[in-house]
């Protein structure tokens, strides 16, 4: 494949790329403090909020987010950014 060839991404992958770009530009990181709170649809928060808001932008409603999480189509996965420091990422339809 030549460097100037256009690669067509599956709809979900292209949609995720578009939402990820928007999130990188607009989402502002803010720690929760002593109490860990999860929120959906706000453009500010920590890694769980980032993951939930990304899913919300992909699916369009809080009820769709709930359904995707409960059905296993999506998951918020805990990992470590570095030893001892928790981090959360979104897994949706085979993509992180």
């Amino acid at each position: 494949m030549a460097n100037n060839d256009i690669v067509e991404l599956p709809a979900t992958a292209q949609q995720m790329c578009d939402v990820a770009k928007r999130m990188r530009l607009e989402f502002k990181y803010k720690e929760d403090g002593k109490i860990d709170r999860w929120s959906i649809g706000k453009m500010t928060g920590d890694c769980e909020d980032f993951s939930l808001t990304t899913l919300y932008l992909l699916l369009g409603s809080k009820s769709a987010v709930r359904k995707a999480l409960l059905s296993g189509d999506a998951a918020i996965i805990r990992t470590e950014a570095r030893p001892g420091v928790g981090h959360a990422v979104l897994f949706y339809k085979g993509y992180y």
Side-chain angles (χ1 to χ4, degrees):
M1 181 185 321
N3 286 341
N4 59 354
D5 287 346
I6 296 173
V7 175
E8 244 351 270
L9 293 173
T12 301
Q14 183 60 57
Q15 186 183 15
M16 287 194 74
C17 288
D18 294 344
V19 169
K21 181 177 180 181
R22 178 178 175 194
M23 292 295 289
R24 283 193 305 276
L25 293 172
E26 297 179 24
F27 192 88
K28 304 296 182 213
Y29 182 83
K30 181 182 176 196
E31 288 187 29
D32 285 329
K34 291 183 179 183
I35 299 173
D36 191 25
R37 299 180 191 275
W38 291 28
S39 64
I40 298 174
K42 296 181 181 180
M43 294 305 276
T44 185
D46 62 7
C47 53
E48 296 97 351
D49 306 317
F50 183 94
S51 296
L52 288 168
T53 299
T54 298
L55 191 57
Y56 173 76
L57 292 175
L58 286 167
L59 302 179
S61 72
K62 291 180 181 181
S63 62
V65 169
R66 186 178 312 111
K67 182 178 177 183
L69 291 169
L70 291 174
S71 71
D73 285 342
I76 307 300
I77 298 176
R78 187 195 185 286
T79 184
E80 289 190 345
R82 57 185 183 275
V85 178
H87 186 57
V89 296
L90 171 64
F91 180 78
Y92 177 64
K93 293 195 174 186
Y95 298 97
Y96 283 93

